[in-house]
Structures are given as structure tokens and as C-alpha cells.
Amino acid sequence: MDIVKEKNIKVSIKTFGCQMNEYDTELASGLLMKQGYQMTSDETEADVAILNTCSVREHAETRVFGRLSRLCFEKSKFGRNVVVGVMGCMSENYKGELFERYPQLDFIVGTRNVKDVPRIVKQVISDKKRVMLLEEEGLGIEFSEFTQRKHAYHAWVPIMTGCDKVCTFCIVPKTRGAEISKPSKDVIEEVTRLRDRGYKSITLLGQNVNSYGKEFADGVGFPQLLERLAQIDGIEMVSFTTSHPSDAIPELFEVIRDNPAITRRFHLPLQSGSDPILKKMKRHHNMDQYLEKVEQLRSTVPGVDITTDIIVGFPGETEEDYQATKEALQKIEFDGAYIYKYSARPGTPAAENFEDDVALSDKKRRNSELLDIQDWISQKKNQNRIGSTHKVLVERKNSRGEGEVVGRTWIDKKIVFPGTEAVGDICEVKIQKLVNDTFFGVKV
Ligand code: SAH
Ligand code: F3S
């Protein structure tokens, strides 16, 4: 590649998957820009095209494979002068196999090496050789003042990475490794820095944030960390994801109750309503224990909004197991649910030990039936919110309505209302109507 100066080089990063990947893209972009690279959202004009990938379901990987094939084809058939790189979970899932499959692929960077992306890009350009960097060791969570955040008021803050649970369907322990937490001192410093730079809202990220800090002897677990961050003056809203039911403890619910800055939206993946399936998934909770957590959470934190993840068609899921999940959805009445069709992930215990024996037609039927049920429940709950008053963080001016602003409630609902408030201001807003998933209201 005849590129002499980094400052003339355009780089695109296309992000797939979860919020952790979004953060990693923001970090890599910031560090690349610090070295003089220009970021572009247009992959067709990029000199360096990076895919930040996800392995959690087959569909996510299929999309990446399609995009990689196209980029490699453009190089081999049309002589396009572009460096192609892969970061994120597929780097760890496939390692050097990606080089075998894609002879035009230039680099592979693992999930714990995001900070090394600029160095690798530079090395590939100057040496014209392929590079793979996967480090099994190392913390892998980096903070940087250069992180290119999408919003001026909101920041993702990873606090731990990896997962020590072994849910049998899940590839994450393989791709993100064992659990490691960022020391609380570093997290508190980072959030304080963000506050000083005007950020009002933060979302703490981790595969299982509830088990944060278990390797430290300083007594700062997730509830303690959350409380300290929520009490930083100027940080108005603190959200977090994701929680595992067996690690979500009453102490955490009490911290939420006692700290108004913490959101009232709690994502608590259930996965299945059937005990035998939960056992095969190695979820470490049964339905009774899950219901008890929901009950504890709802009675400790009035008005809390609980969302969940469900998988249909896990190996061996009978019609009876599926009915149990359906009943759980109807009984618990989540405020929202992500419902997925099981996809076998090679290398996971479920893929190794159980046959993917639920017919695709059954998976599809169960999936769409649950989506309909959940949609009805979510709509009903949203309708019931009309007339209620909510604390709202202003996120932006409404581009579609003159003199209006768009904000977010503490239960993560979008709301539009007349006003001239600045981004990051807080208002009390009464909901007047609901159009699709957006609330409209007035200040009180
Ligand atoms: N605790 C993690 C979970 C990551 S995966 C986190 O949110 O950070 C997110 C969701 O994808 C899981 O809760 C599960 O519902 C779904 N999922 C994971 N593996 C899957 C698979 N093999 N097939 C279908 N859905 C899956
Ligand atoms: Fe995956 Fe279960 Fe951990 S869903 S990320 S193994 S808690």
C-alpha cells in the first residue's frame, strides 16, 4: 500500500453485536485518530476496513463472513487497495483459521488487544505482512481520554470482561475469556474524569456485572461500586448490563432503591421457563428462584422495569418446556424481552453434547408466538403509563418538531416534549400519549 502518512489514511470500523463491541470500536477509533488516521463510516472509501465482530449467534457470524468475502473479493478480483482486519469475538473464535479461509485478510486482533489496533494497522501497512495478535493474558479493559464517544452526554464504561459462568449455549466464555474486573479505583477515576468533561449518563458494561470485583480483597463488589459511582456529583444517570440472576442479590436491589441516579431498568436474562431446560443450560437457577428474585426486586425497588432474554428451541425443548416459557412470560409480565432462536455454537458444551433437534419451523413458530405475546404485554404496560410523571434526562433537540426535545426516562423509555432544555438537563415530564414506542408529554 502506497500510503506514506497516517494522516491521509481513512479507516472504517463496522461494529456487530453488543455494547461491549460498541465501546471497543469507540476506543479503537479514538486511538487511531490520535495517531492521525481519519475515521470514515463509508467502508467503500476506506484504506483500512475493520470488522468488529460478534459470535453469539450463527446469524451474526454469517453477516460478517458475507462482508469479509466481499472485501476480499474486491481485493483479489478488482485490485482494491484496502487493508482488511478483524477484531472482536470472531478473532478469538476462529483465530488463524480466518487467515486460511480469507487469503486477503490482513490482520486479526483479539478481544483483549483493542488498544493495540493502531500499532497493528501501522505494522501491516509498513511491513506488508499479515499479523495476528491474540493474548490470552491481560486485563483487556482500557480507558482513554481519546475514546471517540457517540454522544456528548453518555458514555459506556466497561468494568469487567469475560465470564466464569458456563451456560452451555454460550460462546462468550470462549471468546472473552475468564472474568477479570477493572480495579474500582480506576473505574471511579474514569467516571470522575467523564463527569469533569460534561458526561451526565454512564452505562457500566460487563458480561456478568454482578460478579464484579470478586478477585479483589477490598470489599468493593458490584453493589458497592454502583453506589460509589451513583454518588459522584454531576453523574445523573447510572445504568448497567448484564446481570445474572444467581448473582443479583438483595443488597444490590437496596443500593438501587437508595440511589436516585441509578436507573430503574433491570435486565435479568431468564433464558427458559422450564426447569429441565434451565438445568441443561447450566443456568444455576430454577424458575422458583428466578421468581423469587423478581419478587425481591419489585418489592425493594417500586416501579422497576424488568427486561429479559429468552432462547427458544434449545436442544431437547419439548412443547411442554416451551409452554412453561410462554407461561413465565405471561406470569412475570416483563417490560421487554429479547427472544432468540437457539443456534448451536461450535465449541460450546451444548453444541458438543446435545443434538440441535428442534425443527427450525418449531423454533420460528415459538419465536414469533413469544414475540407477539411480549409485544402485547409491552404495549399494555406502556398504555398504563399514560398520565404518570417521570424524571427525564434530555438527550437532544427533536429534529422533527420545532421547540421540542427528546429525553430518556429512568426506565429507559424515549419521550418527546416541548422545551428548550440543554442536553443533559433533567426534567419531570407527564406522559400524555404513546405513538408506536415513543411517549409524548409535557413538563410539570
Ligand atoms: N451475559 C451476556 C450474555 C451474552 S449473550 C451479556 O449480555 O453480556 C446475550 C444473549 O444472547 C443471551 O442472554 C442469550 O439469550 C442469547 N444467546 C446466547 N447464546 C445463544 C445461542 N447459542 N443461541 C441463541 N441465543 C443465544
Ligand atoms: Fe454467556 Fe451465561 Fe456468561 S449467557 S456471558 S455464559 S452468564
Side-chain angles (χ1 to χ4, degrees):
M1 173 165 286
D2 297 325
I3 294 171
V4 200
K5 287 201 188 108
E6 290 168 4
K7 74 174 187 306
N8 294 327
I9 303 173
K10 288 189 179 152
V11 185
S12 69
I13 306 183
K14 165 77 183 156
T15 315
F16 299 80
C18 66
Q19 294 98 330
M20 194 72 98
N21 271 8
E22 284 184 40
Y23 174 79
D24 286 345
T25 293
E26 292 182 350
L27 175 67
S29 303
L31 297 176
L32 284 159
M33 286 170 76
K34 184 183 158 214
Q35 296 302 321
Y37 295 93
Q38 264 181 57
M39 298 307 295
T40 172
S41 54
D42 182 359
E43 197 176 85
T44 63
E45 64 160 25
D47 303 301
V48 181
I50 305 174
L51 305 182
N52 188 2
T53 60
C54 171
S55 287
V56 90
R57 277 169 294 278
E58 190 182 354
H59 177 66
E61 289 196 341
T62 308
R63 286 174 61 211
V64 172
F65 284 136
R67 218 157 167 133
L68 256 183
S69 300
R70 205 193 58 209
L71 281 164
C72 292
F73 185 73
E74 286 170 7
K75 284 179 82 169
S76 62
K77 290 286 180 248
F78 302 112
R80 184 175 163 196
N81 192 11
V82 59
V83 167
V84 179
V86 168
M87 56 187 277
C89 285
M90 285 172 71
S91 300
E92 305 283 350
N93 201 17
Y94 293 95
K95 302 185 164 67
E97 198 189 320
L98 286 176
F99 278 155
E100 285 164 35
R101 280 204 201 183
Y102 297 96
Q104 291 77 26
L105 178 62
D106 297 291
F107 69 87
I108 299 171
V109 174
T111 49
R112 296 201 168 173
N113 298 89
V114 179
K115 68 172 190 324
D116 301 306
V117 167
R119 177 170 66 78
I120 301 298
V121 167
K122 186 172 182 174
Q123 192 178 331
V124 169
I125 291 172
S126 60
D127 298 356
K128 299 185 173 59
K129 279 200 201 113
R130 301 176 121 184
V131 181
M132 177 163 74
L133 181 65
L134 303 170
E135 262 180 25
E136 302 302 330
E137 299 296 316
L139 182 54
I141 304 175
E142 301 295 332
F143 297 146
S144 163
E145 61 182 296
F146 298 100
T147 303
Q148 275 298 304
R149 302 182 185 276
K150 192 169 165 195
H151 302 290
Y153 61 91
H154 171 266
W156 305 114
V157 180
I159 59 167
M160 54 90 67
T161 185
C163 187
D164 288 348
K165 294 273 185 292
V166 281
C167 304
T168 54
F169 51 80
C170 187
I171 195 79
V172 171
K174 179 178 170 195
T175 59
R176 294 264 169 187
E179 262 174 40
I180 298 185
S181 304
K182 190 93 175 161
S184 60
K185 182 176 146 290
D186 296 351
V187 177
I188 292 166
E189 269 174 26
E190 169 70 353
V191 174
T192 309
R193 255 196 311 269
L194 288 166
R195 185 274 316 271
D196 293 344
R197 297 173 66 189
Y199 290 89
K200 307 270 183 180
S201 169
I202 55 165
T203 302
L204 308 177
L205 298 179
Q207 269 76 37
N208 175 12
V209 285
N210 299 154
S211 72
Y212 170 83
K214 69 180 184 199
E215 65 266 54
F216 303 136
D218 61 0
V220 183
F222 186 59
Q224 294 77 18
L225 180 72
L226 188 61
E227 178 153 53
R228 289 188 194 180
L229 298 175
Q231 289 178 357
I232 294 178
D233 205 27
I235 292 293
E236 306 289 356
M237 188 188 267
V238 182
S239 317
F240 56 90
T241 197
T242 296
S243 295
H244 188 286
S246 65
D247 296 328
I249 49 174
E251 195 182 352
L252 171 63
F253 307 155
E254 285 157 18
V255 164
I256 298 173
R257 178 195 64 200
D258 297 340
N259 288 277
I262 303 172
T263 58
R264 267 53 187 155
R265 181 178 198 245
F266 203 112
H267 189 63
L268 197 62
L270 168 64
Q271 312 299 1
S272 169
S274 151
D275 281 346
I277 295 293
L278 286 171
K279 199 163 181 195
K280 270 179 91 173
M281 289 176 163
K282 285 222 166 63
R283 283 291 290 175
H284 300 294
H285 62 83
N286 59 28
M287 259 320 280
D288 281 349
Q289 290 162 328
Y290 187 88
L291 288 171
E292 197 188 331
K293 289 281 159 155
V294 168
E295 177 50 39
Q296 278 170 349
L297 178 56
R298 284 184 170 157
S299 61
T300 312
V301 188
V304 69
D305 176 311
I306 305 177
T307 56
T308 203
D309 289 344
I310 298 285
I311 298 176
V312 291
F314 185 80
E317 186 185 73
T318 61
E319 212 44 44
E320 199 187 337
D321 294 318
Y322 164 65
Q323 288 302 326
T325 303
K326 192 166 142 182
E327 278 162 27
L329 237 59
Q330 286 162 331
K331 180 170 178 179
I332 299 170
E333 296 204 322
F334 293 104
D335 293 87
Y338 297 96
I339 298 162
Y340 304 109
K341 297 187 282 292
Y342 171 75
S343 83
R345 308 310 301 124
T348 58
E352 302 294 306
N353 301 321
F354 311 128
E355 197 190 332
D356 185 6
D357 56 358
V358 178
L360 184 60
S361 55
D362 285 330
K363 286 183 187 169
K364 283 186 177 165
R365 172 178 52 81
R366 292 173 190 177
N367 184 254
S368 71
E369 203 174 64
L370 293 190
L371 283 171
D372 285 348
I373 291 171
Q374 185 55 47
D375 198 43
W376 188 85
I377 294 169
S378 302
Q379 282 295 325
K380 183 183 79 170
K381 294 193 121 182
N382 279 342
Q383 288 293 342
N384 287 343
R385 292 192 170 104
I386 293 173
S388 60
T389 298
H390 293 256
K391 191 163 75 158
V392 172
L393 183 85
V394 175
E395 292 188 338
R396 58 186 160 89
K397 283 195 166 45
N398 189 15
S399 51
R400 295 195 201 150
E402 186 74 12
E404 287 180 338
V405 290
V406 183
R408 194 158 291 277
T409 69
W410 258 243
I411 51 168
D412 203 30
K413 305 282 179 193
K414 200 165 109 181
I415 184 158
V416 178
F417 56 99
T420 51
E421 279 72 14
V423 171
D425 282 356
I426 297 193
C427 310
E428 290 283 325
V429 181
K430 184 170 180 174
I431 296 176
Q432 292 184 312
K433 64 174 181 178
L434 176 69
V435 181
N436 301 321
D437 282 335
T438 304
F439 289 108
F440 289 80
V442 285
K443 273 182 293 182
V444 291

